[in-house]
């Protein structure tokens, strides 16, 4: 049994700025911070990590209460912003997911910095949520390596549910668009497909030495060859 773990933003889809706008509005409308600091990186990071950095940058107490206030406000605004922006599913994604779904030796999950509820909303918006039965999400962790560990643990649990023990698992493959995706994949011993449809150029991604570097996820065969 092989495991494929997909990043969302820049790998499966682009929200057309809806996610960023929801982040901005939440800080403006819930915390009175406008504009948010441009020094905080969003690329390949967990929502929890981005929020924590923005709390620090703007002198907001990083309490559980403030995280929950952010979380609730952010989810509501993602709902509002998704239909207002022109999001797109990236080339090759639907065909690849279709191919993977045909196989009975592959589990398809998510490995994303999104909190679970925004991951679900973004994918439901493009009718892709049903493809994923488990995942690791950005609710709890600042460190993407820990999200990867969560995703792998969820995959192991799913495999066990269909009678496949951990020792019998095959390739773990992570598909992502940033160096952080490559790093977290290595932390769980996974192979990596890096795709330059997000914010990182092929030149940048090459530095992370992915197993396969692609301009889009259209070369399905090349990707499937890694599952052996
Ligand atoms: Mg991404």
């Amino acid at each position: 049994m092989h495991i494929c773990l997909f990043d969302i933003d820049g790998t499966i889809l682009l929200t057309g700025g809806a996610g960023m706008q929801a982040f901005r509005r939440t800080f403006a409308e819930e915390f009175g911070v406008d504009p948010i600091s441009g020094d905080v990186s969003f690329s390949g990071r967990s929502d929890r990590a981005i929020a924590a950095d923005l709390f620090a940058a703007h002198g907001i107490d990083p309490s559980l209460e403030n995280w929950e206030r952010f979380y609730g406000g952010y989810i509501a605004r993602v709902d509002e912003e998704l239909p207002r922006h022109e999001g797109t599913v990236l080339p090759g994604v639907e065909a690849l997911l279709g191919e993977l779904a045909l196989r009975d030796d592959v589990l398809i999950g998510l490995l994303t910095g999104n909190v679970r509820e925004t991951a679900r909303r973004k994918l439901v918006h493009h009718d892709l949520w049903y493809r994923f039965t488990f995942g690791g999400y950005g609710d709890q962790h600042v460190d993407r390596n820990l999200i990867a560990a969560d995703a792998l643990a969820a995959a192991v649990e799913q495999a066990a549910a269909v009678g496949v023990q951990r020792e019998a698992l095959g390739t773990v493959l992570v598909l992502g668009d940033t160096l952080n995706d490559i790093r977290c994949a290595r932390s769980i011993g996974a192979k990596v497909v890096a795709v330059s449809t997000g914010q990182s150029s092929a030149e940048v991604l090459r530095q992370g030495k992915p197993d396969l570097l692609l301009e889009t996820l259209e070369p399905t065969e090349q990707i499937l060859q890694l599952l052996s």
Side-chain angles (χ1 to χ4, degrees):
M1 188 68 81
H2 304 297
I3 297 163
C4 287
L5 301 171
F6 285 77
D7 169 58
I8 297 178
D9 297 289
T11 302
I12 293 177
L13 55 80
L14 298 171
T15 65
M20 183 63 95
Q21 182 62 7
F23 237 99
R24 279 200 200 102
R25 281 189 52 213
T26 305
F27 271 87
E29 294 163 18
E30 299 288 340
F31 299 101
V33 170
D34 190 15
I36 54 172
S37 166
D39 297 336
V40 174
S41 166
F42 278 63
S43 178
R45 304 185 65 219
S46 79
D47 285 343
R48 186 111 200 197
I50 298 164
D53 280 2
L54 286 170
F55 285 166
H58 296 289
I60 299 165
D61 180 13
S63 61
L64 184 60
E65 191 187 343
N66 278 335
W67 163 251
E68 284 172 352
R69 184 170 178 187
F70 167 79
Y71 181 86
Y74 178 54
I75 290 168
R77 288 173 183 86
V78 165
D79 277 339
E80 292 170 8
E81 295 299 333
L82 280 172
R84 292 181 186 165
H85 290 74
E86 199 172 332
T88 43
V89 175
L90 289 161
V93 169
E94 281 164 313
L96 175 60
L97 288 171
E99 281 292 321
L100 291 170
L102 290 175
R103 295 177 55 148
D104 56 9
D105 64 340
V106 180
L107 297 174
I108 313 170
L110 294 165
L111 197 182
T112 174
N114 281 272
V115 297
R116 188 178 183 280
E117 280 306 304
T118 60
R120 185 169 73 78
R121 283 162 163 78
K122 288 177 183 179
L123 291 168
V124 164
H125 187 68
H126 293 285
D127 196 24
L128 288 174
W129 176 247
Y130 75 101
R131 292 290 193 192
F132 304 94
T133 51
F134 66 94
Y137 305 96
D139 302 56
Q140 307 294 335
H141 302 302
V142 167
D143 183 346
R144 199 176 180 95
N145 290 359
L146 298 176
I147 301 175
D150 275 0
L152 182 61
V156 167
E157 206 171 288
Q158 280 242 322
V162 293
V164 178
Q165 296 313 306
R166 190 176 182 130
E167 307 76 61
L169 288 177
T171 300
V172 180
L173 181 64
V174 169
L175 301 95
D177 71 309
T178 67
L179 289 174
N180 280 336
D181 294 86
I182 300 174
R183 262 183 231 121
C184 79
R186 298 311 188 200
S187 77
I188 56 167
K191 291 185 185 175
V192 193
V193 175
V195 62
S196 58
T197 41
Q199 291 193 344
S200 306
S201 66
E203 217 176 350
V204 167
L205 292 172
R206 190 169 291 118
Q207 294 164 18
K209 299 191 173 70
D211 296 279
L212 185 58
L213 176 59
L214 296 172
E215 284 176 18
T216 73
L217 293 180
E218 287 166 301
T220 309
E221 276 311 310
Q222 269 182 275
I223 298 167
L224 294 180
Q225 274 171 19
L226 291 174
L227 298 178
S228 56

